[in-house]
Amino acid sequence: MDEPSMPTPPSTSPPPPASPPGPPTPPIPLAELLSREELGLRRIAGPADADLLWVHTSEMADPYPYLLGGELLLSAGVLLTDPDHYVGRLVEAGAAALGFGVRPVHETVPAALIEACDRHGLPLLEVPPATPFTTIARAVWRLMAEARHRELRRVTRAQQALATAAARPDPVPAVLHQLAAQLGGRAVLLTARGEEVHAAGRRLPPEPTAALTRLARVVARERPGSPASATDTHGDTHLSAYALGGGDGLVLALAAGRRESGDHTVAGIAVVLLSLLAAPHQGADAAGRSAALVRMLLGATPAEAAPLLGATGPWTVIHARRTDGAPADALTAGALGASLGTALVDAGHGGGEPVRVLLPGTPEPPRVAPQPGWTLGASAPTPVTALDAADHQAARALAHAQATRAALTTDAPASGLAALVPPEQAAAHARALLAPLTAPLADTLRCWLSLHGNWDRTAVALAVHRNTVRQRIGRCGELLGMDLDDMDVRTELWFALRQGTT
């Protein structure tokens, strides 16, 4: 077993934020870890069932401030003096289980600790001296990787099955039937009033059926602020409801006897497919988009076509890329649009193009939130007549987000002191100051300044070599006749670039 670490003085820094998001992997049942005979672990107290999300080692007397919840906490009991208080704090922090290593501090697991774990309902594992804590951690991460792989294979198979069902002559019933089979339950397409349009899977008793209908009304988009999805339980039945895209409030309602990792992803794929397939039921929304497209193709301006899309406020343009680097397809791009609340999505055409999304304001500017699995760059809210400039803003914001590894970056408009200068005067000054620079040089300088002069991050954002960035910035300094290491110079150039390259 690892040598226990010596006590350390309490840190003066604040504890990490509470309730962070969990890891993107399914939880590991405690039984799977105990089944690894080579570890020699033995449960000696507490319940047999627990789900592990993390592994953490601590010899602090009270590790509560540093626990995230769901941990298998490993300890040799260096500072264990009050087992009941110690276990109570672990349970309060949401720890999943405690692994106690015997020797060299304790020859056996203290009886008081066993009693405390039984009393508080915390699984207690005895770790033999021959098993290092690091070996247990590696075993948990390996189990997590295996579970993630199984989940991805299951989601891939489900996606293929749902896509095949969507190509059948009766696609909506076929997708619902396949979804019910994949989730092992019932799938129902409901109107906002709770009327059944299509259904598949085993029928439910009256009470769960009524509970599912009530849950569907929660997400039916008949009023502002309705959530996109909701979950509940009725006895042993897990219920969920998802609003479909469009204006008629169609809802996908699901009921299953079990809830497995990946179910939400499978349901999300079905939501995208059904939103597209159920378009005939949502004629007003689809007709508006078609009419706007026809008018623009026949020469209408964006300002003339926008009202047909139900947009009365400023627009936001979003550029997005998947965080795993994989190219987006129509399904994943459509799912992103559905999460953001719009059907105006361009999935790109290969060649490394980002997904582009239009968010209309109705009438307030749309709010953009980070989306799991995506890196987003958003423009500032803008009139429909300035969407081309907003498109450039979103592209810059996405490059900045990728370079800084942020989930979302917004290219905000000028504010503070910069907003006090009349726009016409600011733009004229910017054009005169930046006149010696070509567009590529100006873009490089703007990106470099936005990233605080960091060569590597600028290279990532522009997809060029860091030496290319150095050469371009050096050329900018020569053409402008300025010392770019001077903070006053950088400030003036940043102001000019913000005003002159929107």
Side-chain angles (χ1 to χ4, degrees), residues 387-470:
L387 288 180
D388 55 345
D391 190 44
H392 290 298
Q393 290 179 6
R396 289 197 301 261
L398 176 60
H400 192 283
Q402 289 182 297
T404 57
R405 298 182 180 179
L408 168 66
T409 296
T410 300
D411 195 289
S415 59
L417 292 175
L420 300 178
V421 182
E424 297 79 7
Q425 296 181 21
H429 173 73
R431 285 194 297 271
L433 181 62
L434 302 173
L437 302 184
T438 63
L441 288 178
D443 287 342
T444 301
L445 181 59
R446 189 186 196 286
C447 183
W448 181 69
L449 290 173
S450 75
L451 295 168
H452 311 291
N454 187 293
W455 305 107
D456 292 324
R457 288 185 173 180
T458 305
V460 170
L462 297 176
V464 298
H465 195 276
R466 67 195 307 271
N467 289 341
T468 302
V469 176
R470 288 183 177 275

Side-chain angles (χ1 to χ4, degrees), residues 8 10 62 94 142 144 154 175 185 203 232 239 243 273 288 333 399 432:
T8 56
D62 182 12
R142 191 177 301 114
M144 283 186 171
R154 178 188 173 226
V175 169
R203 289 189 174 275
D232 197 2
L239 310 176
L273 286 172

Side-chain angles (χ1 to χ4, degrees), residues 320-347:
R321 292 188 187 277
R322 290 175 52 169
T323 53
D324 60 7
D329 54 23
L331 281 177
T332 54
L336 172 64
S339 297
L340 293 170
T342 180
L344 303 176
V345 180
D346 175 15

Side-chain angles (χ1 to χ4, degrees), residues 261-280:
S261 179
D263 283 357
H264 185 71
T265 303
V266 174
I269 296 169
V271 166
V272 175
L273 286 172
L274 291 170
S275 296
L276 298 172
L277 295 172

Side-chain angles (χ1 to χ4, degrees), residues 221 244-249 275-276 278-293 307-311 341-344 360 362:
R221 293 180 177 175
L244 301 189
D248 280 354
S275 296
L276 298 172
H281 297 282
Q282 303 164 4
D285 188 61
R289 291 197 298 271
S290 298
L293 175 61
L308 296 171
L309 301 173
T342 180
L344 303 176
T362 54

Side-chain angles (χ1 to χ4, degrees), residues 89-468:
R89 291 286 282 172
L90 296 186
V91 171
E92 186 179 351
L98 172 63
F100 193 86
V102 295
R103 292 194 225 134
V105 181
H106 296 270
E107 289 297 318
T108 61
V109 180
L113 183 64
I114 297 175
E115 294 173 1
C117 286
D118 275 329
R119 186 163 49 252
H120 289 280
L122 181 70
L124 174 63
L125 312 183
E126 181 186 68
V127 181
T131 301
F133 286 174
T134 53
T135 301
I136 300 173
R138 281 196 299 268
V140 171
W141 298 132
R142 191 177 301 114
L143 288 170
M144 283 186 171
E146 293 170 356
R148 180 60 172 166
H149 184 62
R150 289 194 302 269
E151 179 190 35
L152 290 175
R153 284 192 301 176
R154 178 188 173 226
V155 169
T156 300
R157 289 195 299 266
Q159 179 175 349
Q160 293 170 346
L162 290 169
T164 300
R168 292 185 54 179
D170 52 347
V172 172
V175 169
L176 290 173
H177 177 78
Q178 188 57 240
L179 180 60
Q182 293 290 333
L183 301 183
R186 184 157 179 86
V188 188
L189 187 63
L190 299 171
T191 68
R193 296 181 296 275
E195 299 167 345
E196 186 177 296
V197 179
H198 294 289
R202 59 180 177 83
R203 289 189 174 275
L204 300 174
E207 290 187 2
T209 298
L212 188 61
T213 302
R214 289 194 298 270
L215 187 65
R217 293 197 183 106
V218 172
V219 303
R221 293 180 177 175
E222 291 188 308
R223 61 187 186 277
S226 297
S229 63
T231 61
D232 197 2
T233 57
H234 188 280
D236 295 332
T237 303
H238 297 278
L239 310 176
S240 55
Y242 303 84
L244 301 189
D248 280 354
L250 286 177
V251 174
L252 171 63
L254 303 173
R258 65 181 190 278
R259 182 171 292 168
E260 295 184 359
S261 179
D263 283 357
H264 185 71
T265 303
V266 174
I269 296 169
V271 166
V272 175
L273 286 172
L274 291 170
S275 296
L276 298 172
L277 295 172
H281 297 282
Q282 303 164 4
D285 188 61
R289 291 197 298 271
S290 298
L293 175 61
V294 169
R295 291 194 185 186
M296 292 192 68
L297 289 173
L298 295 178
T301 66
E304 294 169 329
L308 296 171
L309 301 173
T312 58
W315 293 66
T316 297
V317 180
I318 296 175
H319 284 208
R321 292 188 187 277
R322 290 175 52 169
T323 53
D324 60 7
D329 54 23
L331 281 177
T332 54
L336 172 64
S339 297
L340 293 170
T342 180
L344 303 176
V345 180
D346 175 15
H349 303 285
E353 292 184 9
V355 174
R356 299 195 297 176
V357 181
L358 278 177
L359 292 183
T362 54
E364 297 297 324
R367 296 183 178 181
V368 183
Q371 300 297 317
W374 291 90
T375 301
L376 306 181
S379 73
T382 185
V384 70
T385 53
L387 288 180
D388 55 345
D391 190 44
H392 290 298
Q393 290 179 6
R396 289 197 301 261
L398 176 60
H400 192 283
Q402 289 182 297
T404 57
R405 298 182 180 179
L408 168 66
T409 296
T410 300
D411 195 289
S415 59
L417 292 175
L420 300 178
V421 182
E424 297 79 7
Q425 296 181 21
H429 173 73
R431 285 194 297 271
L433 181 62
L434 302 173
L437 302 184
T438 63
L441 288 178
D443 287 342
T444 301
L445 181 59
R446 189 186 196 286
C447 183
W448 181 69
L449 290 173
S450 75
L451 295 168
H452 311 291
N454 187 293
W455 305 107
D456 292 324
R457 288 185 173 180
T458 305
V460 170
L462 297 176
V464 298
H465 195 276
R466 67 195 307 271
N467 289 341
T468 302

